[in-house]
Amino acid sequence: MEINPFDSVIVSEPRRIEKPVKGLNNLPLAELVNQFQSLEHGGIPRTAKAGSALFVLSPQPGYGKSHLIGRLFKALQGRATVVYLRPFTNPSSCWKSILLKTVQEMEFPESGETEVCGEGDFTQLEGLAHGILRNLVVRGLEEGDLKAKNKDVQLEHFRKVPFLELRNSEEWSTWVSGRISALASLLNRQLRRAGMTLNASSVSWLGVLGAYAYAPGDYDTRQACLDWLKGGSIDEEQASLTHIGKADRPAAEMGLSDLNELCKERIMDLCCLAGFYRPFLFCFDQTETYAGDRDPVNAQTFGLVVQTLVDDCFNHMTVITANQHPWYNTIRPHWQEAHIHRLRQPYIELEPLTRKQAEELLGHRLEGWNLPEKKVAEMVDGKWLNDLPALKSGLGIRQFLHECGKRWKALAPVPSAPEPGGEELTFLFQSYLKKVGAQPKRMVFDPDVLFWLVRDVARELPGIIVEEHKSQKGSFVLRWKAEGVLVYFGFEPGSNWSRWSAIDREAGRLCEGTPDGKALFFRTPELKEIPSPTWKCAPQLREGRAKYLHILTLGKREMGAIYASYDLFSDAAERNIPFEREEVLAFIRKELQFFWAQILEREPNKWKPRKEALPGSSKEGPKKKLVDQVRDIVQRERFLSIQDLMARLSPRVTEDELHKAHSCIREIKVHVSPTMTVLQWRQDA
Amino acid sequence: MAKESLEFKKKEILTKLEKAGPPGLTKGGLGIKAAKSPGARALKALEEEREIANLGTANKTRYVLIEFYRPLELACDRIEGNAKAAGSSRPGILELLSQKELEKGCEGEIRKKVDEAIDWLVKDRKLLKLRRGRLSYYVHANPVKEALGEEEPSRIEKKEPPVLRGVLGRPEVLNAYRRVKDRLGYSNVEIYELQKELGAPMDQVKTFLLEENRRGNAVLSLGDWSLSSEETRSGAIELLGRPHLLVRFMDGA
């Protein structure tokens, strides 16, 4: 197996960063942590406001922006609810997108070290729910709003009780669910005293948080809670069970702008409630994608989002990262002065890698592989670093790693096989496919990626006219006109029958009298099947699906290709790879021919999902036995390819299952190249 | 007392070097003989404080004030001088020079910069590089231009040093850098902006920054070429094969 330990130069998941070198970007990190501390003062509920967003500026790509976010996540572990935000692509639904990603991020394990909760771990959202309920009770007891026989003993207990103990206590969960109204009054009183109010009722909030926290095994209830948190509508029955008030049940036919506003309110409420627990940390990364050189609305909306977060939301710190030239040339010019003033001055600037740090990074990259001793010695001796005089002042990390990679190749006794010329993008794309495939958490519904694809990428497809199309009831936002077909696009992650019934009605109206018309919605495997067989409106929806309602359920492989395409584009926009945006877009258009063909398919009988793409297969986490097996093998072997690992497992597992399993193991680091995926055991990971 | 004596010695050395100018002085010329003498300690302290530097070697010293410590420029001067002096044995025939012949007279820190200086002069079209098999030869560009009938550079240009038409002082550059940085609000400023602020020729600014970079004082960064204007691009300094558009001074500037 030919390994180049310097191949990995882009951080794509800030929760899985490599060990930092001593001193590098310590000042920016300290500044961020220091600013965060100001949000932790004051009694519960806290009403802290940072007053401005923190802005991290990098002179060039590859200086460690995402790595810094990863370090910040680690530094604030247990102190913040951390949210990593990739860019929204549709300004009309910016808050919907931010809320969706916030909820998805809150489903990451509290430990932040793995993608899936292992034994004894809980999600950030569970932590938030428990934290709010616990501190609400503590505060109620302290202030005499709650009566208890042994007040001091109770107080002592609730102040110290670990979350997991609380979660496992049936007595506590029964007590909470039986007293939602009383607790809601208490919550209102405490919020009022602190000068805060919620947009949705406190009964609804405590009902949803309680139901989510105490029904880990009840998939439908959890899903309903998540739908509500994301601003979606939920079944009446579920709403009653979870104590959601009538006024807080979003209408099935809610228009996009109302829905976007509702999602903004959810975020404001979450930040209010965070005053009972701990602040949020929102990190906006990959901001180059907001570049307004073609369409300034995205950049303008981003400015508005930052202003709203800073001005209207309590208990959070917002961090934005950007590369200097894209920021000053393509985003900032579209921000209003008021938006720019929401960024804290002076900006936080990233540092270059010094010679000493470079040597440490070099050594670190060479650890954990069974590499040829002579070659390692020649890399480590540092003499060749004298040929990099620029290192004396400092270099960007990625620039240095590129030099290391070149040196590593040059030291090969036999020249390595040349990379295929003329097809570099095809070759590179393979590694993006592998990288996305190795991140099971990424394989979820992402309306921003899908919207970007059918609007921005498709714009230059031959024979297709892409138009904004806001339908009357708000179910549709975009339209394609092509020869023989008219496609209306909607993006709905929810699984509520009344919402889908409304969608079907609007789709029917749009396509009525236009035999070429069809309405298209994407679904991903982790989402519920539409329609659910138990819905009363299922026959109506099935009829719609047989005529004009195309629900395109993407399989893992298709999702992989789509998300890998987005990452490839995003890296080109960020200048992480040496390809121009337009070049990458042209490549994606060609690469995703299968996808365009599916969208343009006119025949309803060809719209049926393939077996592989059927939803519902992603609900289960990996089996503990498999996780243990993977841990044992990788720890013993130190590193091996995913194929080798699969060959050693019995009974046989799919690659997807294997990725889910290694995602639960903190010490396993994944390396991808266009030709293979390698798992490495790193104690220090 | 010892401190006063050290300060006195430092002042004495600085005065001598100021008087000596760019040629500088050897350790002996500065009156320092014993390794542990107050003079030697003062010399070491001044080196550490970056007030002075040794252009020569440990055995054959050549101390200069820091503003005269420009090994790359000196190497350029010497190499171009050697190339010009090569002359011609017969009319119409140009004499080719090997690198060994070109670097004659370059010693100590200046010798270390020979490769870079040759690269620089070739890029600046002052020298032409010719290859025969595995051997490289050089020739000054002027006689080639003359032979090809191109317009001869003016007399004034001929008299000027090859790259630098003046001396950029470090304090002057740092002050300009500080002004640009304060105005813009960030540390990695465009080289073009710095050059505008200095009002100095771009090649002079680039040479200075490259030298500062090699000495560990100035970080050069890529910025984004595709988003930059022609003016910004004019400040590009090539490093590791890529144009760098931004500079940041590290030492508290």
Side-chain angles (χ1 to χ4, degrees):
Chain A
M1 188 171 13
E2 199 180 315
I3 300 286
N4 186 338
F6 305 100
D7 267 348
S8 174
V9 291
I10 300 171
V11 174
S12 52
E13 171 49 65
R15 286 181 174 83
R16 306 297 294 263
I17 52 165
E18 74 178 287
K19 185 179 155 187
V21 290
K22 275 187 211 101
L24 181 63
N25 284 324
N26 275 4
L27 281 176
L29 179 67
E31 177 68 24
L32 292 169
V33 173
N34 191 33
Q35 287 300 317
F36 185 83
Q37 275 168 357
S38 65
L39 300 172
E40 296 178 302
H41 301 309
I44 300 280
R46 294 191 192 100
T47 54
K49 273 191 179 176
S52 54
L54 287 117
F55 191 70
V56 178
L57 199 59
S58 170
Q60 70 184 47
Y63 247 63
K65 295 188 300 293
S66 305
H67 192 269
L68 181 69
I69 291 178
R71 287 179 71 192
L72 184 61
F73 279 12
K74 272 195 169 55
L76 296 180
Q77 194 198 325
R79 290 166 61 188
T81 301
V82 299
V83 178
Y84 181 70
L85 293 162
R86 291 188 172 86
F88 54 81
T89 56
N90 183 0
S92 313
S93 57
C94 57
W95 292 107
K96 192 178 166 204
S97 161
I98 292 169
L99 180 63
L100 173 68
K101 290 198 175 90
T102 301
V103 175
Q104 284 173 346
E105 284 281 302
M106 285 202 291
E107 285 193 278
F108 265 100
E110 169 69 21
S111 68
E113 291 171 335
T114 54
E115 288 198 25
V116 186
C117 277
E119 219 173 323
D121 207 352
F122 52 91
T123 66
Q124 292 199 94
L125 184 53
E126 284 177 308
L128 178 79
H130 280 284
I132 292 167
L133 288 163
R134 186 184 69 164
N135 285 328
L136 183 63
V137 169
V138 168
R139 194 91 182 100
L141 286 169
E142 281 171 349
E143 301 214 329
D145 291 329
L146 277 179
K147 305 287 175 214
K149 274 183 194 164
N150 302 312
K151 184 181 159 184
D152 291 340
V153 177
Q154 293 285 356
L155 265 175
E156 185 71 6
H157 168 70
F158 278 111
R159 279 184 189 138
K160 287 184 179 167
V161 63
F163 285 154
L164 286 174
E165 192 182 319
L166 215 51
R167 185 173 75 177
N168 297 334
S169 162
E170 210 170 300
E171 194 188 351
W172 163 251
S173 61
T174 314
W175 185 85
V176 169
S177 53
R179 281 171 181 76
I180 288 290
S181 297
L183 286 171
S185 306
L186 189 60
L187 177 66
N188 276 339
R189 224 173 303 151
Q190 294 186 12
L191 284 171
R192 235 185 348 259
R193 278 181 208 152
M196 295 190 285
T197 47
L198 293 171
N199 291 289
S201 82
S202 46
V203 176
S204 303
W205 269 110
L206 289 186
V208 167
L209 292 175
Y212 176 86
Y214 302 120
D218 184 346
Y219 177 77
D220 286 340
T221 302
R222 274 216 153 181
Q223 207 52 46
C225 293
L226 290 171
D227 280 350
W228 186 83
L229 287 170
K230 291 171 194 167
S233 15
I234 65 171
D235 294 344
E236 288 295 310
E237 198 186 330
Q238 279 289 1
S240 302
L241 277 173
T242 42
H243 305 277
I244 295 172
K246 286 218 183 319
D248 296 328
R249 298 174 192 179
E253 298 197 353
M254 186 181 264
L256 186 60
S257 62
D258 289 342
L259 182 55
N260 200 39
E261 191 60 25
L262 175 80
C263 291
K264 183 173 93 180
E265 288 174 357
R266 286 271 191 282
I267 290 173
M268 290 165 76
D269 282 1
L270 278 168
C271 290
C272 255
L273 292 166
F276 282 92
Y277 181 46
R278 62 189 190 190
F280 275 93
L281 170 69
F282 295 115
C283 293
F284 290 87
D285 201 13
Q286 301 177 353
T287 52
E288 288 67 31
T289 317
Y290 292 119
D293 43 354
R294 273 188 165 193
D295 177 7
V297 186
N298 259 7
Q300 287 162 354
T301 311
F302 180 39
L304 193 65
V305 162
V306 172
Q307 186 193 23
T308 308
L309 281 172
V310 170
D311 291 356
D312 301 339
C313 297
F314 290 100
N315 304 309
H316 77 94
M317 182 167 94
T318 291
V319 176
I320 300 156
T321 69
N323 287 328
Q324 192 167 309
H325 270 140
W327 163 248
Y328 280 100
N329 293 353
T330 64
I331 303 172
R332 196 181 187 271
H334 305 292
W335 278 32
Q336 292 175 22
E337 276 302 305
H339 301 160
I340 296 167
H341 288 156
R342 296 306 185 277
L343 302 179
R344 191 169 170 276
Q345 291 271 12
Y347 299 160
I348 297 170
E349 294 186 79
L350 294 180
E351 300 159 352
L353 193 72
T354 63
R355 164 81 187 239
K356 206 172 167 196
Q357 290 163 342
E359 283 171 6
E360 189 187 334
L361 177 61
L362 182 65
H364 186 241
R365 281 286 175 119
L366 292 166
E367 279 168 20
W369 306 100
N370 245 346
L371 299 167
E373 274 176 37
K374 191 171 167 251
K375 210 170 162 184
V376 170
E378 278 184 78
M379 284 299 288
V380 175
D381 81 352
K383 277 183 198 155
W384 71 279
L385 293 180
N386 296 335
D387 296 337
L388 294 177
L391 199 53
K392 214 168 172 189
S393 285
L395 264 184
I397 305 163
R398 189 176 302 147
Q399 245 178 324
F400 174 67
L401 287 174
H402 276 311
E403 293 303 315
C404 291
K406 280 198 281 187
R407 168 80 178 162
W408 183 259
K409 276 184 194 162
L411 287 174
V414 182
S416 50
E419 291 173 5
E423 292 173 3
E424 294 97 335
L425 259 178
T426 313
F427 193 60
L428 180 66
F429 186 58
Q430 295 307 311
S431 60
Y432 278 78
L433 284 172
K434 288 194 162 52
K435 201 187 278 183
V436 166
Q439 295 175 298
K441 270 275 181 183
R442 279 293 301 283
M443 294 297 202
V444 290
F445 188 75
D446 189 335
D448 285 300
V449 172
L450 296 164
F451 183 81
W452 162 81
L453 204 60
V454 294
R455 187 184 68 165
D456 298 354
V457 183
R459 205 173 258 151
E460 302 289 328
L461 281 174
I464 288 172
I465 299 168
V466 180
E467 296 172 336
E468 304 280 327
H469 179 89
K470 283 183 187 152
S471 64
Q472 206 182 350
K473 297 288 179 189
S475 308
F476 300 93
V477 290
L478 207 70
R479 181 169 68 181
W480 276 16
K481 276 183 186 168
E483 201 184 333
V485 64
L486 192 64
V487 190
Y488 295 93
F489 290 94
F491 301 87
E492 176 57 50
S495 317
N496 170 243
W497 69 267
S498 57
R499 174 79 182 147
W500 277 99
S501 188
I503 285 172
D504 179 61
R505 281 196 298 276
E506 187 164 36
R509 275 196 302 274
L510 279 175
C511 300
E512 203 174 17
T514 47
D516 295 340
K518 73 173 198 177
L520 192 136
F521 286 84
F522 298 105
R523 295 296 276 182
T524 44
E526 85 286 359
L527 300 176
K528 266 182 154 182
E529 192 184 349
I530 303 297
S532 163
T534 55
W535 290 355
K536 275 185 190 163
C537 65
Q540 171 213 330
L541 280 160
R542 278 194 209 103
E543 202 179 316
R545 290 189 71 170
K547 291 176 185 166
Y548 49 80
L549 184 59
H550 183 181
I551 297 174
L552 176 48
T553 307
L554 301 164
K556 292 273 177 190
R557 196 173 296 174
E558 291 158 326
M559 284 172 77
I562 290 167
Y563 292 0
S565 298
Y566 179 76
D567 287 357
L568 186 74
F569 168 75
S570 177
D571 278 341
E574 264 195 272
R575 304 268 157 217
N576 289 337
I577 52 171
F579 295 96
E580 293 298 321
R581 278 174 184 232
E582 291 308 321
E583 196 181 348
V584 169
L585 285 174
F587 170 80
I588 294 169
R589 278 179 210 114
K590 212 169 135 195
E591 193 64 29
L592 298 184
Q593 301 246 6
F594 72 91
F595 183 63
W596 315 128
Q598 285 186 63
I599 291 175
L600 291 168
E601 179 55 60
R602 260 305 299 139
E603 283 301 314
N605 56 12
K606 291 184 182 166
W607 295 348
K608 288 193 181 99
R610 291 180 311 286
K611 210 176 173 189
E612 182 256 337
L614 281 171
S617 57
S618 309
K619 293 172 199 167
E620 287 176 19
K623 301 257 186 311
K624 188 179 176 301
K625 196 180 159 198
L626 176 62
V627 175
D628 290 343
Q629 261 185 304
V630 170
R631 177 182 282 112
D632 287 348
I633 296 171
V634 182
Q635 187 172 13
R636 197 171 54 239
E637 297 295 324
R638 292 174 68 195
F639 66 93
L640 76 171
S641 75
I642 206 99
Q643 276 70 26
D644 287 346
L645 179 58
M646 277 170 84
R648 291 183 195 203
L649 289 168
S650 173
R652 290 178 74 84
V653 293
T654 63
E655 199 169 321
D656 193 36
E657 286 171 307
L658 199 50
H659 285 312
K660 275 189 194 165
H662 73 67
S663 298
C664 300
I665 305 167
R666 186 184 71 89
E667 292 86 354
I668 290 182
K669 187 164 164 51
V670 182
H671 302 264
V672 293
S673 75
T675 49
M676 71 169 103
T677 303
V678 175
L679 304 183
Q680 185 194 23
W681 184 266
R682 289 201 76 121
Q683 204 62 47
D684 60 3
Chain B
M1 195 71 174
K3 201 177 172 187
E4 275 172 31
S5 157
L6 186 72
E7 287 307 313
F8 175 77
K9 281 283 171 197
K10 279 160 80 175
K11 210 174 251 179
E12 200 176 75
I13 292 168
L14 289 174
T15 313
K16 281 183 181 174
L17 288 179
E18 207 175 326
K19 231 181 231 175
L25 289 168
T26 61
K27 212 184 244 184
L30 285 167
I32 299 163
K33 280 165 194 161
K36 287 184 181 171
S37 66
R41 279 190 284 123
L43 191 72
K44 198 175 171 214
L46 284 169
E47 266 193 284
E48 282 168 0
E49 289 159 15
R50 308 179 60 80
E51 293 280 342
I52 64 169
N54 181 11
L55 270 172
T57 62
N59 294 328
K60 206 173 170 187
T61 55
R62 181 184 161 189
Y63 284 97
V64 291
L65 287 179
I66 203 73
E67 55 260 42
F68 301 126
Y69 183 80
R70 307 206 178 289
L72 180 62
E73 292 153 28
L74 291 168
C76 284
D77 283 353
R78 170 64 74 169
I79 290 164
E80 204 191 356
N82 289 343
K84 275 181 174 173
S88 158
S89 54
R90 270 184 286 169
I93 290 179
L94 300 173
E95 292 293 324
L96 298 182
L97 294 164
S98 66
Q99 179 162 335
K100 211 171 172 188
E101 288 166 311
L102 272 185
E103 66 187 36
K104 227 172 169 182
C106 295
E107 289 176 340
E109 292 300 310
I110 301 171
R111 176 173 280 274
K112 288 182 188 169
K113 297 287 174 187
V114 161
D115 287 344
E116 260 176 68
I118 292 176
D119 275 357
W120 182 261
L121 290 169
V122 170
K123 275 183 192 155
D124 210 29
R125 299 178 180 206
K126 297 281 194 302
L127 276 187
L128 293 178
K129 187 175 182 178
L130 307 160
R131 190 176 281 262
R132 169 81 184 160
R134 288 165 66 187
L135 298 174
S136 293
Y137 298 96
Y138 300 87
V139 63
H140 198 272
N142 284 355
V144 179
K145 284 179 191 166
E146 282 170 32
L148 294 171
E150 281 184 27
E151 200 179 315
E152 196 181 338
S154 75
R155 234 165 234 288
I156 297 168
E157 268 182 1
K158 266 186 169 178
K159 278 183 182 172
E160 276 188 346
V163 180
L164 303 174
R165 287 174 199 88
V167 177
L168 264 184
R170 197 163 190 273
E172 185 189 348
V173 179
L174 286 185
N175 283 337
Y177 169 76
R178 269 185 224 113
R179 286 195 299 275
V180 178
K181 187 180 109 172
D182 292 346
R183 193 170 65 233
L184 299 174
Y186 46 83
S187 310
N188 293 280
V189 307
E190 287 179 358
I191 295 164
Y192 166 69
E193 288 289 339
L194 181 61
Q195 182 259 333
K196 259 199 324 186
E197 184 72 23
L198 277 164
M202 185 60 100
D203 57 354
Q204 200 173 331
V205 175
K206 286 184 187 180
T207 312
F208 179 86
L209 294 180
L210 197 59
E211 183 54 32
E212 285 293 302
N213 174 262
R214 303 278 151 90
R215 289 170 62 189
N217 302 326
V219 184
L220 297 174
S221 300
L222 292 165
D224 193 321
W225 182 264
S226 70
L227 295 175
S228 298
S229 63
E230 278 308 312
E231 285 95 345
T232 301
R233 288 178 184 183
S234 69
I237 293 178
E238 201 172 296
L239 205 65
L240 302 171
R242 297 182 71 188
H244 289 60
L245 301 170
L246 309 175
V247 63
R248 174 181 183 176
F249 280 93
M250 298 305 284
D251 50 358

